Structure formats: structure tokens, C-alpha cells
Amino acid sequence: MMTNLFSSFDPATSTAMSLNWTSTLITFMLIPNTYWIMPNRFQSMIINSMEKLNMEFKTLIPTSPSMLSMMMVALFTVIITNNMFGLLPYMFTSTSHIAMTITLALPLWLSFMIYGWVNHTTHMFAHLLPSGTPLALMPFMVCIETVSNIIRPGSLAVRLMANMIAGHLLMSLMGNNAVSTANFIIPLIMVMQMGLMCFETAVSIIQAYVFSVLSALYSSEVN
């Protein structure tokens, strides 16, 4: 029996060994590419997609090392994999929890800030005051820019978590209500569920892209 609306995101597993977070590690158990004689079509599609993403991240952070763009590609891959796994029945969506999203956002932002303030202190101070600001508004702009900079990891984490929870929660509510509805309404619910599934697939891709792109843009500000 559900005790609250969010219990639908927490599959019932053994109390002795919880398997909720196992879906996050499934990708590490897949067969590596080195064990294939030649890449199949799926692997070729993944490789081409990663190369396109790497080129796009390089345009966003042109002055940064090439390894940083690869790190953003890896971040995109981790988030989209967990988002897609959450669309499967009885799979735990780890990115719908703040513990997962803040773990991705906070270390990235903190590392960028430490690097920027240690190596580019003057640039970081100048970034707090946009050019062309009137003299009377300068103290307020410094406070506003400081607050907006501090809440960046929270906004990244909450944006990803809220978008993943919203669609999943709506689909869970519609599925739970389908049991007690009339028979002629069930086909309509099924059509709406399929539409929501397509919508959630698009949201999963977009949110992974937005998270990684914003992280890349935050890193470009400290270089």
C-alpha cells in the first residue's frame, strides 16, 4: 500500500539488501567495445553521437582543455542513461532524487569555483560586476551576482529532479487510477500514457543535455 505519492518511485525490495540503486550501475556491467570484432550499428550510433557532442562542447568552452569537453560528454551519458532506465517498468529513477542530482552538480560547481578563484582571482571579481553598471547600482549588482552564483548547483540539481519527478508522477497517478475507472475510459488512458511516455523520453534527453551544457557554460566563465 502506498504511504505517499512518491512511493511509486521506490520499488519494493528486500529490507536486507536494497536493490534500488542497482539500475545506476547496470551500464558498467555491459560488454566493453574491445570484446567485439567490429562495432555494431548501435555502437556506431553511440560513437557518432559522442563525437558530435564533443565537438559542440568544444565550441562552448574553446579555451578549456580537451579533457573537459570529454568530461561533459561523460556527464551527459551518465544522466541520460539513468533517465532512460527510469522509463522502464519497475526500475528505480535515481535522477529523480536530490541525493543523486546534487552529487553531480555540487562537486562540479565547487571545483570550477576553486579553480577560478585560485588561478583567475581578478577575473572572478570582475565577473561579479557587469560592464556598464551605474555607480549607484554597483553594490546591489555585486550582491545579486554573488547570490546567483551560489545557487547554481541547487538550481541544476532541482531542475533535473523536478523535471524527472513531474512526468513520472503523472504517469503513476494515471496508471493507479486506471484500475478503478470504467472500461471505456481505459483505451483513452492507454493513449495518454503512450503520449506521456514519448514526452518523458524527450524530457530525459533534453534535461541531460541542459545539465551538461549549463555545466560547460559555468566552466567557461572561470577561464
Side-chain angles (χ1 to χ4, degrees), residues 60-202:
L60 293 175
I61 42 179
T63 59
S64 300
S66 59
M67 294 301 295
L68 185 58
S69 62
M70 291 302 298
M71 184 180 70
M72 294 304 164
V73 173
L75 178 66
F76 173 84
T77 305
V78 169
I79 296 176
I80 195 173
T81 302
N82 287 281
N83 291 350
M84 289 299 183
F85 270 122
L87 297 176
L88 300 177
Y90 301 104
M91 292 294 288
F92 178 65
T93 312
S94 58
T95 48
S96 65
H97 286 250
I98 192 68
M100 178 69 175
T101 56
I102 198 66
T103 303
L104 294 174
L106 186 58
L108 278 175
W109 174 84
L110 194 59
S111 61
F112 293 153
M113 289 297 101
I114 293 175
Y115 173 81
W117 285 104
V118 170
N119 297 284
H120 307 285
T121 307
T122 305
H123 174 74
M124 296 299 291
F125 274 116
H127 186 69
L128 296 177
L129 189 63
S131 60
T133 305
L135 183 63
L137 297 179
M138 284 184 179
F140 300 101
M141 290 302 298
V142 171
C143 296
I144 292 172
E145 290 293 330
T146 303
V147 172
S148 65
N149 200 359
I150 292 175
I151 65 174
R152 282 178 176 179
S155 64
L156 279 177
V158 172
R159 181 187 293 110
L160 179 59
M161 179 197 69
N163 281 279
M164 295 310 299
I165 281 181
H168 286 60
L169 184 60
L170 183 58
M171 293 177 65
S172 300
L173 291 175
M174 291 182 62
N176 293 332
N177 292 330
V179 181
S180 58
T181 56
N183 293 332
F184 66 91
I185 302 180
I186 293 180
L188 178 61
I189 294 179
M190 293 296 295
V191 172
M192 295 178 66
Q193 286 277 38
M194 288 187 290
L196 283 174
M197 179 64 73
C198 297
F199 178 74
E200 279 299 294
T201 304

